Amino acid sequence: MNASDMSRPPGRRRPSRARARLLGALSAPGRAPASGPPPGTARGPAGARRPYQALLAAGVAALVAGVLCFAALRPGDAAADTVGAGGYTTTQVGPLPSGCGSISTDPRQWVTANAPSGAVPTNDWWSSILWKRTNCAYGEPLAANPLTFRAQAGGLGFSYTTTPSISGSATGPGEYHFPYREDFVAGVAQLNAPDVKVDGWSDWTVSPYLSDGARSLRATVGKGLPFAYFRTSGGNAQLTASGGAAPTVWSNSGSWIGYTINGHDYAAYAPSGATWTVSGSTISSSLAGKDYFSVAVLPTTASASDDDRKSLATTYGKSAYDHVTGTKASYRYDEAKSTVTTTYTYTTTAMEGGGTGTVAALLPHQWRYLASGTPLPQAYVSPRGALKVLTGIESFTTSMVFHGVLPEVPAVADSGGSDATTLQNYLAAEKSDPTKQVSDDTYWTGKGLGRAARLAEIADQTGNTAVRDAALSAIRSKLTDWFTASPGKTAHLFYYDRNWGTLIGYPASYGSDQELNDHHFHYGYYIAAAATLAKFDPQWASEDRYGGMVDLLIRDANNYDRADTRFPYLRDFDIYGGHDWASGHGSFAAGNNQESSSEGMNFDNALIQWGQATGNKAVRDAGIYMYTTQAAAIQDYWFDTKDQVFPRDFPHNEVGMVWSDGAAYSTWFSADPAKIQGINLLPVTGGHLYLGYDHDYVLTDYKDMLTNSGATQPLSWTDIWYEFLALGDGDRALADFRANSGFTSEEGESKAHTFHWIRNLAALGHVDTSVTADSPLSSVFTKNGERTYVASNITSTDLTVHFSDGTTLAVPPGKTVASGANEWSGGSATGGGDDGGTPTPTITPTVTPTGTPWKPTLYPQSDGSVLPAPGTTGTATLASAGGQTHDGTPTDPVTFTAEGVTLKYNGGATALDLAVDAGTAVGNGPQVRISYDRTGDGTWDRVETYHYFATDPVPGYEHYTQRTGLESATGSLGDLDGGTVRIEVWNAIGTNPTTLGTGDKSVVTLPYN
């Protein structure tokens, strides 16, 4: 399901196959939207989505990373269902994804032998040509923006629609689209391909392939590419204007031709020495005996002169022969600066000459944050607003600020009085059933888990250990059940399908099985709840318990590891578009779609929380990348906060869902304005503070909802709307809640969370985006000109958070701290508060520790010393093992020693995170031994040797952690009383030295308080 359907009975399922076929016929290419009653009167699942809401009303009212957590997917492995203490099944449980032909068992039916191996992508802007649902030969139009393409027997159709189709009213459902209106077809003379196949793909390109056996056409098209690139065989290249009208040619000299069709300017580039011939509606070229050409749409307007067109076509022509053959985005999170830098890179093949540059049309969420480069003065019209153009580039880079997330807003309001009693009464009412789920499927189970996680966080902050433990117990029980597959079990489990490369939970819901819809929506709740549980029960979250299953859910929805081909890379996330897509097949005339952008953000936030709780920075940083990028996309494409995206005549300030070719003020399940707008607000968590980045917009959106509802208070989802209002005006939201608290909670909500959220935001004020921090779990709020600094430390070691305005905040282990002019009190995050008290932290200056008193964190320094806090960045060199094996025996080790250590043992285990880099060397394996002399008498009371870590041959630090496992351990741990801790690191194998990062790069965390 594409968000919570609160108006429908739980468990209601997708339409019948017959009805789906009917709706598929209605969305066939070239068919205009049907007219009918207002949309939203009935809801179909995300995977049964139609191209327009009017149609809805009319039609239906392994590799290394893989070995660590998923070795079970190796064919022939007898323990194929085991992941740590849990597992999945490889025995089919229910119906598989369905489509044309044999796609249910062979998703590669529509790919060629040239296509990449591994799991096929789904949930993409071009998925309909690979996973055919309604047009079994050619799929649906592909809205790449600025161009839209449609495969057909004779070639690839081009559409550059600049006039939107707008329907609906100012107060009711409505939509806008830039529908496919074909200008011409690029093909090969006499080509008559029976279907289209996919010959390749990259991060934001796809290569459709058409062949009739005698002739063929291979195209490469992509998001933001004004060019389409072609390879041909068996005949002349041919451009045929649609509708029979002759194109207007404004330049035809040499190998390129400029022409206008339907008021849109194009340029086609043939090989040097070739010419173009115009005959009626057809432009053709023999390509001088070669097999390539390219076509570009120009960002010119009707007022442009022929000289303007020629000048721009000449500029584009400099890149016309540098065919884009691959695209890739890479991201980097700079923790100190709290920035996300994303580089979009193009791989090109020079068909002639030696050029490498291309032309890119940037979307608003890209050009607003462009790090360098100056776009052309001309821009393209698109469903996403103006697309600005860079020419002659090999890459471009964006830089965005990450403003942080929180496990939950802090308990800063007065802890006494009637409000405190009210909150505790609300909490007590939830003790017997914290999840309170309404249906037993993946989506509603997830919603229940999310509900319980919020209760656990609030109860812990306020010292209510009984409710906290009840909520954690419910989370643990449900997750453990779902993460365990046993013989004969057919419900509450996950099934891995090798052919599709996906993990499906059963009972499935809203097309999550047969259409692979909404996996990020469903699984985001599981991961977020697991992150909350991990803070209180880290053993449960370990790789050898249930952490591996959590990782599989992450990889299924948005695999962050390119080397892991068991799942497609970032399945649900449109890398160029900047946001998720919900439908697995995307087979609609309007392309793919997504409502509930906030549930997509719930998934991203879950990765941040889980990664932080488990020390997995790869997961954390993937979450931060998607979260920051998608937050920017939502501001533009769902909310249009700068009033620069929606068409001028579109009567709404926000939309319920975004389509590839437009957007709609509607949902799949309701015509209620509170739900149309509210579907992009839930669930409300500490990871949804982005909704308050523009607090003026919050008030505008709230007012619109009331106006469109014809009401003075929300008529449905009242709690969601009060919580949203609190991000813009907390005092008003609190007053409204006090006056109207008798509403029924939305199914993922509770009165306890709603009251906690509103009451504390009324004290905190607005989200302050002008200040950042060097910790991802942090935020800043402003009220009456005074700032409150908030940070959460969900680890077992002390943390000092540095804010960009010079403020520092000391955060004890397991605490959420809020501190400012009023010196708010902090709350516990990992089991504190048993005595009902909360610490009162202060803002402290930055202090560099000098050795004592010791803390549980030991940071090796390049001079062989150890500090209890990060020092100056440096390195140490581990000598080569000389081709010998020193596994378990320190040989030429680099040694770091801490003496005079007095700490109390907490019953846990040693943790480590060593930054190691073997450069391009193959076969190195650093190893570590940690020894404890508990009293400093010269006797090692405990010696732990960890398995060596096999480094990769790629420059850059890797993380050697305790997850490699203990190879041996002798003695026992206990309190340290003037004791000594020694850390020895050496190369156990390999023929090259290894670099060990020191100062602030590596840390050993002792199991001590």
Side-chain angles (χ1 to χ4, degrees):
M1 168 170 150
N2 186 355
S4 48
D5 178 357
M6 308 310 171
S7 64
R8 77 194 305 172
R12 183 175 175 182
R13 296 306 186 205
R14 61 188 301 277
S16 67
R17 288 173 182 256
R19 182 173 296 178
R21 283 195 294 271
L22 167 63
L23 292 167
L26 289 174
S27 65
R31 182 181 176 96
S35 59
T41 55
R43 176 175 181 146
R49 296 171 180 178
R50 315 321 158 222
Y52 305 102
Q53 292 303 303
L55 281 180
L56 178 62
V60 280
L63 297 162
V64 171
V67 171
L68 290 178
C69 70
F70 203 7
L73 291 190
R74 296 174 298 189
D77 190 336
D81 59 351
T82 301
V83 181
Y88 56 91
T89 181
T90 55
T91 301
Q92 184 177 338
V93 176
L96 291 175
S98 59
C100 300
S102 61
I103 194 168
S104 62
T105 55
D106 180 17
R108 301 187 73 86
Q109 175 185 358
W110 300 107
V111 307
T112 71
N114 295 325
S117 60
V120 298
T122 64
N123 301 75
D124 222 324
W125 63 273
W126 56 267
S127 289
S128 73
I129 62 170
L130 184 149
W131 182 348
K132 296 179 177 65
R133 294 273 300 181
T134 54
N135 184 332
C136 292
Y138 307 109
E140 302 293 342
L142 309 179
N145 299 323
L147 287 165
T148 299
F149 305 94
R150 192 184 73 178
Q152 50 201 279
L156 195 65
F158 279 61
S159 170
Y160 175 45
T161 302
T162 53
T163 302
S165 173
I166 301 174
S167 63
S169 66
T171 58
E175 54 198 294
Y176 75 85
H177 296 273
F178 288 74
Y180 182 84
R181 297 177 181 138
E182 192 167 275
D183 288 338
F184 65 95
V185 176
V188 176
Q190 299 182 328
L191 174 65
N192 187 24
D195 53 42
V196 63
K197 289 185 168 60
V198 178
D199 202 50
W201 56 78
S202 65
D203 277 5
W204 60 92
T205 66
V206 65
S207 293
Y209 178 78
L210 296 153
S211 175
D212 60 12
R215 293 157 290 272
S216 69
L217 180 78
R218 183 189 192 273
T220 296
V221 298
K223 274 289 188 76
L225 282 179
F227 272 99
Y229 307 94
F230 296 96
R231 304 296 295 269
T232 69
S233 72
N236 291 343
Q238 188 168 277
L239 310 173
T240 305
S242 300
T248 300
V249 177
W250 39 264
S251 182
N252 189 4
S253 176
S255 61
W256 73 273
I257 184 170
Y259 57 97
T260 302
I261 300 177
N262 295 333
H264 307 135
D265 296 327
Y266 295 91
Y269 303 86
S272 298
T275 59
W276 292 94
T277 300
V278 182
S279 177
S281 63
T282 300
I283 302 171
S284 62
S285 176
S286 67
L287 304 180
K290 298 183 175 65
D291 69 346
Y292 57 87
F293 70 100
S294 60
V295 181
V297 63
L298 303 179
T300 46
T301 62
S303 62
S305 67
D306 285 352
D307 286 342
D308 293 335
R309 294 182 176 92
K310 291 176 184 177
S311 175
L312 195 55
T314 299
T315 298
Y316 275 44
K318 295 175 183 177
S319 300
Y321 302 101
D322 307 325
H323 286 208
V324 172
T325 51
T327 55
K328 182 178 180 180
S330 57
Y331 56 86
R332 183 175 65 87
Y333 166 54
D334 186 327
E335 194 164 353
K337 297 179 180 178
S338 197
T339 57
V340 175
T341 302
T342 306
T343 300
Y344 301 81
T345 302
Y346 299 84
T347 301
T348 59
T349 298
M351 307 310 294
E352 55 185 68
T356 57
T358 192
V359 180
L362 277 59
L363 280 75
H365 81 278
Q366 296 168 327
W367 55 254
R368 292 193 199 285
Y369 303 96
L370 188 63
S372 62
T374 302
L376 297 177
Q378 301 94 335
Y380 291 101
V381 176
S382 87
R384 303 293 174 262
L387 308 185
K388 298 189 177 183
V389 185
L390 295 176
T391 62
I393 63 167
E394 298 177 35
S395 66
F396 67 90
T397 299
T398 62
S399 181
M400 297 177 173
V401 176
F402 171 58
H403 296 291
V405 296
L406 294 171
E408 182 53 60
V409 295
V412 298
D414 184 5
S415 60
S418 61
D419 276 356
T421 300
T422 298
L423 177 61
Q424 293 305 317
N425 288 339
Y426 282 147
L427 285 169
E430 304 294 345
K431 181 181 176 182
S432 63
D433 187 10
T435 60
K436 198 172 290 185
Q437 67 188 67
V438 299
S439 183
D440 191 35
D441 57 40
T442 50
Y443 180 75
W444 291 102
T445 296
K447 291 274 287 187
L449 287 167
R451 186 180 192 276
R454 304 276 62 75
L455 291 168
E457 299 280 5
I458 298 166
D460 186 66
Q461 283 194 21
T462 59
N464 190 328
T465 57
V467 173
R468 179 199 68 195
D469 292 347
L472 292 174
S473 178
I475 292 170
R476 183 186 296 105
S477 176
K478 285 185 181 291
L479 287 178
T480 301
D481 181 22
W482 277 82
F483 289 166
T484 304
S486 57
K489 188 179 183 184
T490 59
H492 297 181
L493 81 169
F494 290 90
Y495 157 71
Y496 178 77
D497 186 86
R498 289 180 173 85
N499 291 334
W500 281 95
T502 189
L503 201 67
I504 302 172
Y506 291 95
S509 50
Y510 309 110
S512 61
D513 52 353
Q514 296 185 66
E515 295 162 351
L516 302 190
N517 297 333
D518 307 350
H519 283 201
H520 56 318
F521 292 167
H522 297 208
Y523 300 168
Y525 288 106
Y526 288 71
I527 299 160
T532 292
L533 182 58
K535 294 185 295 181
F536 298 91
D537 188 354
Q539 181 59 34
W540 181 94
S542 64
E543 286 288 337
D544 59 354
R545 297 294 292 164
Y546 297 98
M549 283 300 297
V550 177
D551 190 63
L552 288 188
L553 265 62
I554 295 171
R555 290 173 185 260
D556 172 77
N558 274 307
N559 180 14
Y560 56 92
D561 181 2
R562 288 184 185 274
D564 181 0
T565 59
R566 301 163 305 167
F567 303 97
Y569 180 65
L570 296 184
R571 181 196 304 276
D572 292 318
F573 191 73
D574 187 322
I575 293 171
Y576 202 86
H579 60 82
D580 306 311
W581 291 118
S583 172
H585 51 73
S587 290
F588 309 102
N592 213 323
N593 72 97
Q594 175 162 278
E595 64 184 16
S596 196
S597 58
S598 48
E599 285 186 299
M601 290 291 278
N602 189 51
F603 178 91
D604 302 340
N605 170 57
L607 266 60
I608 300 171
Q609 305 279 355
W610 173 259
Q612 193 75 358
T614 61
N616 190 328
K617 289 187 177 181
V619 168
R620 182 200 70 176
D621 291 359
I624 290 173
Y625 155 66
M626 290 189 290
Y627 183 98
T628 307
T629 306
Q630 189 157 217
I634 290 167
Q635 300 301 318
D636 273 325
Y637 313 140
W638 274 262
F639 297 157
D640 193 16
T641 57
K642 297 179 176 62
D643 196 25
Q644 295 177 336
V645 173
F646 299 164
R648 181 182 56 194
D649 296 330
F650 184 64
H652 293 284
N653 293 315
E654 63 288 305
V655 294
M657 68 172 70
V658 165
W659 287 92
S660 295
D661 76 350
Y665 184 81
S666 58
T667 73
W668 285 109
F669 62 98
S670 175
D672 178 356
K675 293 181 179 179
I676 291 173
Q677 295 171 227
I679 198 62
N680 287 290
L681 306 181
L682 57 80
V684 178
T685 78
H688 287 76
L689 297 175
Y690 72 93
L691 293 168
Y693 288 174
D694 186 338
H695 56 265
D696 289 335
Y697 176 79
V698 172
L699 301 180
T700 297
D701 193 50
Y702 189 78
K703 179 181 179 181
D704 279 355
M705 179 273 298
L706 293 178
T707 299
N708 295 341
S709 301
T712 58
Q713 291 291 319
L715 300 179
S716 53
W717 289 359
T718 305
D719 42 6
I720 300 298
W721 278 103
Y722 284 169
E723 289 169 312
F724 178 60
L725 176 61
L727 290 165
D729 188 340
D731 292 327
R732 176 183 170 187
L734 184 57
D736 285 351
F737 178 91
R738 294 189 194 282
N740 180 34
S741 62
F743 54 82
T744 299
S745 294
E746 183 266 340
E747 280 83 344
E749 267 295 347
S750 65
K751 287 286 176 63
H753 178 250
T754 301
F755 185 50
H756 170 87
W757 178 275
I758 296 170
R759 179 169 171 260
N760 287 292
L761 278 179
L764 290 164
H766 303 137
V767 177
D768 185 344
T769 58
S770 67
V771 180
T772 61
D774 62 358
S775 172
L777 303 189
S778 61
S779 188
V780 180
F781 299 87
T782 298
K783 183 170 185 177
N784 298 327
E786 300 290 346
R787 285 184 176 136
T788 298
Y789 303 84
V790 183
S792 183
N793 180 5
I794 60 177
T795 73
S796 59
T797 61
D798 285 337
L799 175 69
T800 298
V801 178
H802 304 82
F803 292 86
S804 59
D805 64 355
T807 302
T808 62
L809 196 61
V811 190
K815 304 293 181 182
T816 292
V817 168
S819 187
N822 297 316
E823 289 305 329
W824 304 110
S825 65
S828 169
T830 59
D834 290 347
D835 59 359
T838 54
T840 304
T842 57
I843 300 176
T844 57
T846 302
V847 178
T848 301
T850 57
T852 55
W854 288 104
K855 297 180 180 180
T857 51
L858 300 183
Y859 291 85
Q861 306 300 301
S862 56
D863 62 358
S865 64
V866 179
L867 292 178
T872 303
T873 301
T875 61
T877 300
L878 310 182
S880 163
Q884 304 297 310
T885 298
H886 305 299
D887 186 7
T889 304
T891 305
D892 295 325
V894 175
T895 302
F896 308 91
T897 305
E899 297 179 335
V901 183
T902 298
L903 295 169
K904 186 174 181 61
Y905 180 50
N906 64 15
T910 310
L912 55 104
D913 186 351
L914 304 182
V916 294
D917 179 22
T920 59
V922 176
N924 273 22
Q927 192 165 24
V928 63
R929 183 169 76 179
I930 301 173
S931 305
Y932 294 84
D933 174 357
R934 287 160 50 185
T935 61
D937 63 359
T939 300
W940 298 114
D941 301 291
R942 171 75 170 179
V943 178
E944 302 175 348
T945 303
Y946 291 82
H947 290 295
Y948 66 75
F949 177 79
T951 57
D952 64 28
V954 179
Y957 283 120
E958 298 175 79
H959 294 274
Y960 176 14
T961 74
Q962 73 279 0
R963 292 189 180 91
T964 59
L966 276 171
E967 181 173 295
S968 66
T970 61
S972 60
L973 289 165
D975 294 349
L976 292 170
D977 185 6
T980 300
V981 181
R982 185 176 67 187
I983 305 166
E984 300 167 279
V985 193
W986 70 99
N987 265 324
I989 59 172
T991 59
N992 293 276
T994 297
T995 298
L996 173 69
T998 61
D1000 59 352
K1001 295 295 184 183
S1002 297
V1003 62
V1004 173
T1005 304
L1006 310 180
Y1008 292 83
N1009 296 323

